[in-house]
Amino acid sequence: MSFACLNITVFGESHGPAVGVTVEGLPAGIPIDEQGLRAFMARRKSQSAFTTARVEDDNPVFLSGVKNGYTTGAPINATIYNANQKSEDYAALCDVPRPSHADFVAGVKYGGFADLAGGGHFSGRLTAPLCVVGYLAETYLQKRGVFVGAYLSEVGGVAASSYRDGLPTAEDIMAAQGEAIPVLRGASKKEIERKLQAVKADGDSVGGVVECVALGLPVGLGECGFKSMEGRIASAIFAMPATKGLEFGSGFALSQMTGSAGNDPWVIDGGVVVPKTNHNGGINGGITNGAPLTVRVAVKPTPSIVKEQDSVNVKEMTNVKLSVGGRHDACIALRAVPVVEACVAIAIADALIQAQGQNG
């Protein structure tokens, strides 16, 4: 994944010895607080009865680019060693691919050589390294007065609080972080729990919507065209295997509005030019406009489910029924929240590093 300044390579397989990331372009001097990093990584781990029973320590080992608790400016390699694999749960999937997973297409593309245990390189396990980079990006941004935070706004069609109902504060978002169901205050957590209990009992799964808000952004980050702020964020967000939709601000609802309703009028507030509303999610022409950046991400249901599905045996070329055993999430969106946050932080950090270089 290459941006204007950052170059990120994620490596490893779900049931391989390790997963990890190499990132180039991060400035020297970013402090790494081990407790803060562990807390960020813990948000992605299994935290409830509705997520996978697989538990990994997720403690990254920095093999390069970090010394005495600070980034050095050299390429950073962070490796996370796997310890809790059960590859036997996936032995049958070599011949019988899971619907909506990458088993079939990876098998064809790589001529049968792809490691598909646990989803291999296509697994959500590969989002753990993204969270390492996201933590570094957030630390860089925090020192410059930028806050990035994500939370759940919908699970299986059950709506919770959204920025569309009123912009949450940083405190609101941080209060949701670390919860098993990370929704904003006053949201329908009990209703979501009932939905997830019913889905899990049925051997099925549901999707969800993750929202992310960035506060304190200056005017002028991003560019027109291929390096737009939306484009950078989209590139990072779609590195998440379960992402199927993305919108900024009012997103698709703008297609149903008139210009007079959907435009964001300019006003003077405290001697500063700001948009009066924020239907465009803080971005005009690919460039931040000083308003909060708001993003919604649609996360699909977990493909691996106990409930019987139609599939095929590619070796025998027959139609078969498939029920997936192993350890899976009833709703992967619960654990996607910090990953969305990490991806948005990475894209914004890249734009800010570029802007400081241009202005330096």
Side-chain angles (χ1 to χ4, degrees):
M1 184 162 57
S2 295
F3 297 95
C5 296
L6 300 180
N7 186 41
I8 301 169
T9 301
V10 174
F11 63 86
E13 288 80 32
S14 178
H15 287 198
V19 295
V21 64
T22 299
V23 55
E24 300 173 86
L26 279 173
I30 300 175
I32 300 175
D33 174 65
E34 291 187 10
Q35 184 175 353
L37 176 56
R38 283 197 298 270
F40 193 98
M41 300 299 293
R43 291 170 53 202
R44 198 204 68 90
K45 291 167 64 175
S46 175
Q47 297 186 53
S48 78
F50 309 117
T51 54
T52 175
R54 178 180 180 180
V55 178
E56 296 279 6
D57 287 337
D58 281 359
N59 292 325
V61 178
F62 290 98
L63 302 181
S64 65
V66 175
K67 185 175 182 180
N68 298 327
Y70 291 87
T71 59
T72 65
I76 296 169
N77 177 280
T79 297
I80 303 171
Y81 293 97
N82 293 326
N84 190 10
Q85 311 100 312
K86 288 188 177 181
S87 297
E88 63 274 13
D89 291 338
Y90 298 89
L93 299 180
C94 293
D95 296 332
V96 182
R98 288 166 290 181
S100 291
H101 213 297
D103 302 330
F104 174 71
V105 293
V108 173
K109 182 175 179 65
Y110 300 109
F113 290 101
D115 180 358
L116 299 180
H121 191 66
F122 301 89
S123 168
R125 178 81 186 123
L126 277 295
T127 61
L130 279 178
C131 284
V132 178
V133 186
Y135 168 79
L136 295 174
E138 280 202 21
T139 303
Y140 172 80
L141 293 173
Q142 287 166 4
K143 296 292 184 181
R144 287 149 184 84
V146 177
F147 169 84
V148 179
Y151 53 90
L152 273 175
S153 67
E154 188 177 315
V155 174
V158 179
S161 296
S162 166
Y163 65 71
R164 296 178 173 186
D165 307 318
L167 186 72
T169 65
E171 290 73 21
D172 292 334
I173 296 172
M174 288 189 290
Q177 294 176 350
E179 296 289 332
I181 300 177
V183 293
L184 297 175
R185 293 171 180 154
S188 307
K189 188 177 294 187
K190 290 295 183 183
E191 189 177 351
I192 290 172
E193 287 178 349
R194 288 192 292 270
K195 177 73 174 185
L196 291 173
Q197 286 167 353
V199 166
K200 184 176 181 181
D202 196 33
D204 215 333
S205 64
V206 291
V209 176
V210 178
E211 293 187 351
C212 190
V213 174
L215 306 173
L217 291 175
V219 177
L221 297 183
E223 298 179 20
C224 177
F226 294 113
K227 293 181 181 178
S228 70
M229 201 66 252
E230 295 104 326
R232 297 182 206 219
I233 291 173
S235 178
I237 290 292
F238 281 100
M240 289 173 46
T243 301
K244 281 299 175 182
L246 176 65
E247 57 182 344
F248 295 85
S250 296
F252 285 100
L254 277 169
S255 68
Q256 302 170 358
M257 297 182 184
T258 61
S260 58
N263 288 343
D264 298 318
W266 296 109
V267 296
I268 305 295
D269 186 2
V272 179
V273 178
V274 295
K276 185 177 181 179
T277 55
N278 197 21
H279 292 299
N280 287 278
I283 305 171
N284 297 129
I287 300 169
T288 56
N289 63 19
L293 193 155
T294 54
V295 187
R296 284 169 54 87
V297 179
V299 180
K300 73 177 185 179
T302 314
S304 299
I305 57 175
V306 176
K307 195 168 187 175
E308 194 173 74
Q309 305 176 80
D310 290 323
S311 187
V312 295
N313 186 311
V314 295
K315 192 172 184 179
E316 300 175 359
M317 292 303 290
T318 57
N319 295 315
V320 298
K321 297 292 184 180
L322 173 66
S323 175
V324 183
R327 304 161 295 176
H328 310 295
D329 297 82
C331 180
I332 196 66
L334 274 68
R335 297 201 294 135
V337 172
V339 187
V340 169
E341 184 176 311
C343 290
V344 173
I346 289 167
I348 294 174
D350 175 73
L352 189 54
I353 291 168
Q354 182 186 25
Q356 291 189 333
Q358 291 172 341
N359 297 331

